Amino acid sequence: MRKVETELDIIQLVMEDEWMMSVLHTAKSLNLPDWWVCAGFVRSKVWDYLHGYTEWSPLADVDLIYYDLSNQDEAVEKLYEQQLRSLMPDVPWSVKNEARMHLINDIPPFSSAVDAMSKFPEVVTALGLALDEQNQVVLSAPWGIEDLLHFAVRPTPHFADKPELMKRYEERLMKKNWKSRWWKVEIIR
C-alpha cells in the first residue's frame, strides 16, 4: 500500500477506481453548474484504502450537490436523480441544489456549492470531487484533508460555533457510528 499524504494522492486513488470515475462522468453528464460528488463518497474511499480494505464500504447514498440560483425547485432535483438512476441504476443517488438548502436548514444563503460544503457537519464530510473541462479530477476540501488522513471526526467551524447545530452533530455521530467500520477513527467533540 502506498502512502496517502496529499490531495494529489487522493486524486490518484480516485482516478484508479473505475467505479468512482464512472460516477463522476455520469454526474458530469448532467451539465449542472458548480457540481460536486461529495461527503461519504470521498471519505469512505480514503478511509477504506487507509484501513487496507479491499471491498468498498456500502454507501447509503451518493451525494451530488450543485449550485443553481435560476431554478430552486426541489422537483428538478428529483428529475436529476431519475436521470442518474437510468444511467447508473445501482447507485443510490441523492441530488441537492445548494442554492435552496439554506431554506431547509434555516441559515443564511450559500454563495456556492463549495461554500455549502464548508458548512457540512463534519470536516471529513466537507469534501467533494468533480471533473474539470478536460475530465481531470478536482478535489475540493474547504477545511483541508488532515482530519481525513488522520481519521479525526470533528465538527466544521460552522457547526462548532452553534450549540443548536452541535446537537445535530452529536446525533449524526451516534447514527453514523463510523468507528464500527473504521477502527482508526477518533471522535473529537
Side-chain angles (χ1 to χ4, degrees), residues 165-176:
L165 291 180
M166 280 304 290
K167 182 178 178 202
R168 270 188 41 212
Y169 170 78
E170 293 292 335
E171 289 168 357
R172 280 178 54 85
L173 291 178
M174 298 296 288
K175 179 182 171 195
K176 298 292 184 180

Side-chain angles (χ1 to χ4, degrees), residues 17-29:
D17 187 310
E18 186 178 320
W19 181 78
M20 289 185 84
M21 291 303 294
S22 292
V23 167
L24 292 173
H25 282 283
T26 301
K28 184 179 181 180
S29 74

Side-chain angles (χ1 to χ4, degrees), residues 113-182:
V114 171
D115 180 39
M117 201 184 310
S118 76
K119 294 173 175 76
F120 284 1
E122 307 88 16
V123 170
V124 295
T125 57
L127 302 162
L129 295 166
L131 296 175
D132 66 15
E133 299 78 32
Q134 291 78 40
N135 287 322
Q136 297 299 307
V137 176
V138 179
L139 172 67
S140 176
W143 301 111
I145 60 170
E146 290 305 308
D147 282 2
L148 177 68
L149 298 180
H150 294 103
F151 311 101
V153 177
R154 80 179 76 237
T156 59
H158 177 74
F159 267 67
D161 292 343
K162 296 170 185 66
E164 68 278 7
L165 291 180
M166 280 304 290
K167 182 178 178 202
R168 270 188 41 212
Y169 170 78
E170 293 292 335
E171 289 168 357
R172 280 178 54 85
L173 291 178
M174 298 296 288
K175 179 182 171 195
K176 298 292 184 180
N177 193 19
W178 287 308
K179 201 162 181 64
S180 69
R181 171 68 183 162
W182 298 288

Side-chain angles (χ1 to χ4, degrees), residues 3-174:
K3 290 185 177 185
V4 177
E5 301 175 324
T6 67
E7 290 188 13
L8 287 177
D9 294 335
I10 294 168
I11 289 169
Q12 188 63 40
L13 276 180
V14 172
M15 290 172 39
E16 293 168 359
D17 187 310
E18 186 178 320
W19 181 78
M20 289 185 84
M21 291 303 294
S22 292
V23 167
L24 292 173
H25 282 283
T26 301
K28 184 179 181 180
S29 74
L30 294 182
N31 294 312
L32 297 172
D34 190 11
W35 69 272
W36 299 88
V37 180
C38 57
F41 181 76
V42 184
R43 182 206 59 242
S44 294
K45 173 63 179 181
V46 174
W47 281 0
D48 283 351
Y49 181 81
L50 293 175
H51 276 81
Y53 299 156
T54 55
E55 294 292 321
W56 251 96
S57 293
L59 295 171
D61 55 23
V62 171
D63 296 299
L64 170 58
I65 65 170
Y66 67 101
Y67 190 83
D68 184 1
L69 285 170
S70 70
N71 189 341
Q72 298 179 42
D73 185 352
E74 183 180 4
V76 173
E77 298 167 13
K78 300 304 175 198
L79 290 172
Y80 288 140
E81 286 175 2
Q82 288 175 357
Q83 286 178 289
L84 292 166
R85 276 191 216 98
S86 72
L87 298 168
M88 290 186 80
D90 294 336
V91 175
W93 295 100
S94 173
V95 179
K96 298 287 184 269
N97 181 358
E98 294 297 338
R100 74 172 190 85
M101 293 308 291
H102 69 284
L103 299 170
I104 306 301
N105 297 314
D106 196 28
I107 58 175
F110 302 123
S111 61
S112 68
V114 171
D115 180 39
M117 201 184 310
S118 76
K119 294 173 175 76
F120 284 1
E122 307 88 16
V123 170
V124 295
T125 57
L127 302 162
L129 295 166
L131 296 175
D132 66 15
E133 299 78 32
Q134 291 78 40
N135 287 322
Q136 297 299 307
V137 176
V138 179
L139 172 67
S140 176
W143 301 111
I145 60 170
E146 290 305 308
D147 282 2
L148 177 68
L149 298 180
H150 294 103
F151 311 101
V153 177
R154 80 179 76 237
T156 59
H158 177 74
F159 267 67
D161 292 343
K162 296 170 185 66
E164 68 278 7
L165 291 180
M166 280 304 290
K167 182 178 178 202
R168 270 188 41 212
Y169 170 78
E170 293 292 335
E171 289 168 357
R172 280 178 54 85
L173 291 178
M174 298 296 288

